[in-house]
């Protein structure tokens, strides 16, 4: 089985997000970036399938500036075999991302495409579903478990009423939830070895897909500051405080 995994470079989840002074978006200059956490679970799932003898090639694809090479190298260090960077310095909206991934899928002809269920920078949760629609493939989103069988997958999803397990034939698309696995930290020898693995850099224009934005962002604003906490002397004072707050709410 050949697996294609899409990964995105986003602001590191440990970094406090700051809005640009002109309110045009989130500040990314001189900010630590890393692989979207959900995508890391997708890479780990692909590597585990390969280690179980269910996959023989893992291809990583990312879309972004030249610096996005770093998230591909992270995936290669985790155990993927080769990478493809579709290079662009422009902001690429989700539909254009899905179209570019379809173009790569048409070339690579994978049996399975894995993605994170969403990117933590825009929380769109669009690309996997759009890509499945463009390719006409079955999809399983928010996967918390993946089992590979003969010619198909069994995917478990955690839903509001419990767990749902579905079967789908290959080729297919699966988006990863955080509960899917625990991504490995690549050891230094694997990081060094990753730099020797094939990594193709291709300009976005090579794909002939219009990535012009269709949405206009009027303004990006930071969330309202939360009021500071308050220390109380004992549980009696805490109970009195809570009772006062409840009374105020009831009076509204």
């Amino acid at each position: 089985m050949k697996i294609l995994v899409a990964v995105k470079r986003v602001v590191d989840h440990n970094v406090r997000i700051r809005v640009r002074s002109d309110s045009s978006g989130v500040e990314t200059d001189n900010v630590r970036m890393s692989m979207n956490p959900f995508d890391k679970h997708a890479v780990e799932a692909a590597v585990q399938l390969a280690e179980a003898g269910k996959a023989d090639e893992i291809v990583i694809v990312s879309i972004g500036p030249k610096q996005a090479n770093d998230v591909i190298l992270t995936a290669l260090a985790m155990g993927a075999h080769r990478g493809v960077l579709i290079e662009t310095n422009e902001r690429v909206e989700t539909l254009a991302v899905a179209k570019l991934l379809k173009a790569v899928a048409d070339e690579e002809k994978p049996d399975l495409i894995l993605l994170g269920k969403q990117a933590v920078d825009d929380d769109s949760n669009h690309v996997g579903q759009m890509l499945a629609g463009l390719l006409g493939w079955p999809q399983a989103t928010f996967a918390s478990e993946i089992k590979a069988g003969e010619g198909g997958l069994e995917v478990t999803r955690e839903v509001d009423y419990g767990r749902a397990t579905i079967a789908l034939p290959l080729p297919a698309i699966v988006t990863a939830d955080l509960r899917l696995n625990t991504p490995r930290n690549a050891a230094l020898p694997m990081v060094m070895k990753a730099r020797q693995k094939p990594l193709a850099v291709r300009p976005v224009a090579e794909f002939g897909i219009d990535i012009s934005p269709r949405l206009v962002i009027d303004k990006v604003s930071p969330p309202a500051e939360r009021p500071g906490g308050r220390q109380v002397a004992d549980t009696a004072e805490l109970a009195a405080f809570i009772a006062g707050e409840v009374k105020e709410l009831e009076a509204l």
Side-chain angles (χ1 to χ4, degrees):
M1 179 164 63
K2 182 176 182 178
I3 303 177
L4 185 71
V5 187
V7 300
K8 185 178 182 181
R9 184 175 186 260
V10 300
V11 175
D12 188 274
H13 64 282
N14 290 314
V15 172
R16 181 180 174 85
I17 299 294
R18 290 182 291 114
V19 174
R20 291 182 186 138
S21 57
D22 61 0
S23 300
S24 62
V26 171
E27 184 61 72
T28 56
D29 293 339
N30 301 315
V31 174
R32 187 172 65 187
M33 310 287 282
S34 62
M35 187 190 302
N36 176 44
F38 292 102
D39 298 344
K40 210 164 186 180
H41 289 266
V43 175
E44 177 65 31
V47 174
Q48 289 185 8
L49 287 170
E51 290 174 340
K54 302 294 185 182
D56 47 24
E57 186 177 20
I58 303 169
V59 182
I60 304 298
V61 59
S62 188
I63 301 167
K66 187 176 182 180
Q67 293 87 337
N69 272 342
D70 58 3
V71 296
I72 297 179
L73 287 171
T74 298
L76 296 177
M78 291 172 67
H81 298 96
R82 62 185 173 91
V84 178
L85 170 64
I86 301 175
E87 187 176 2
T88 176
N89 291 318
E90 303 299 320
R91 182 172 64 89
V92 186
E93 293 177 352
T94 50
L95 180 58
V97 170
K99 289 180 176 178
L100 288 167
L101 292 178
K102 178 185 181 298
V104 175
D106 288 340
E107 292 181 6
E108 296 285 347
K109 302 192 183 312
D111 302 290
L112 172 63
I113 300 179
L114 289 167
L115 312 90
K117 70 173 185 178
Q118 64 196 73
V120 296
D121 54 356
D122 56 18
D123 282 333
S124 291
N125 183 21
H126 291 162
V127 174
Q129 294 87 332
M130 286 179 172
L131 182 57
L134 291 172
L135 287 168
W137 291 6
Q139 61 174 307
T141 56
F142 297 68
S144 59
E145 186 177 6
I146 301 173
K147 292 180 180 177
E150 287 297 324
L153 300 174
E154 189 177 272
V155 178
T156 299
R157 310 172 67 238
E158 294 194 8
V159 292
D160 290 343
Y161 52 85
R163 291 162 62 89
T165 300
I166 59 175
L168 63 166
L170 296 175
I173 292 173
V174 176
T175 68
D177 202 348
L178 295 178
R179 300 176 183 85
L180 179 58
N181 50 45
T182 302
R184 67 194 67 192
N185 290 316
L188 183 59
M190 295 299 291
V191 174
M192 301 302 290
K193 189 181 291 186
R195 297 188 176 280
Q196 308 302 318
K197 294 183 177 180
L199 199 171
V201 179
R202 302 174 61 180
V204 71
E206 190 176 304
F207 293 87
I209 292 172
D210 181 11
I211 62 168
S212 303
R214 300 182 179 206
L215 305 175
V216 176
I217 298 177
D218 290 330
K219 183 180 180 183
V220 176
S221 304
E225 291 291 335
R226 298 175 62 183
R230 172 189 167 187
Q231 285 190 334
V232 295
D234 49 35
T235 53
E237 185 180 349
L238 175 62
F241 174 77
I242 293 174
E245 291 291 307
V246 170
K247 189 174 292 184
E248 283 188 19
L249 290 172
E250 290 176 342
L252 294 176

